[in-house]
Amino acid sequence: MEEAMARLEELIATARRAEEAVAEWSARRFTGRADEGRIEATTDALGVLLDLRIHPLSRARLDARRLADEITAAIVRAERAAEAARDELMPDR
């Protein structure tokens, strides 16, 4: 019975650690940059866009299509950073 209780306590402790790790990961913000760092996208852990900053120089020198491509690149980089962090947290996924 003592061995079973010890196993149960270890399982509970492991579950708490996992829950804390997930909570920490989900609260993180992830940033991706493009156009030499002049475009910066920030997402949450799920990849939801939270902030987008575009330097005036990027707006001035890039045409609309290239600006859209660079914005998309920054967002994708932020999303990939979030995915990489999730994969670190849950490698067996």
Side-chain angles (χ1 to χ4, degrees):
M1 186 65 154
E2 287 180 30
E3 185 178 325
M5 288 302 291
R7 282 183 162 172
L8 179 59
E9 288 176 12
E10 181 58 34
L11 283 173
I12 291 170
T14 300
R16 282 191 185 126
R17 286 191 299 273
E19 186 177 321
E20 290 169 1
V22 168
E24 180 182 314
W25 169 75
S26 65
R28 290 179 58 189
R29 301 294 178 251
F30 301 89
T31 301
R33 291 178 179 79
D35 192 32
E36 299 176 9
R38 290 185 287 266
I39 297 174
E40 181 177 286
T42 303
T43 67
D44 67 9
L46 299 176
V48 174
L49 183 64
L50 301 174
D51 189 37
L52 178 64
R53 295 172 190 252
I54 304 168
H55 191 279
L57 185 59
S58 294
R59 289 184 194 160
R61 71 178 192 83
L62 300 175
D63 63 24
R65 183 175 183 91
R66 179 74 193 278
L67 182 60
D69 288 345
E70 293 296 322
I71 290 169
T72 301
I75 293 169
V76 167
R77 288 179 182 132
E79 290 171 338
R80 286 184 181 157
E83 289 172 10
R86 183 195 61 222
D87 291 345
E88 271 183 38
L89 180 65
M90 298 179 279
D92 297 331
R93 195 179 77 79

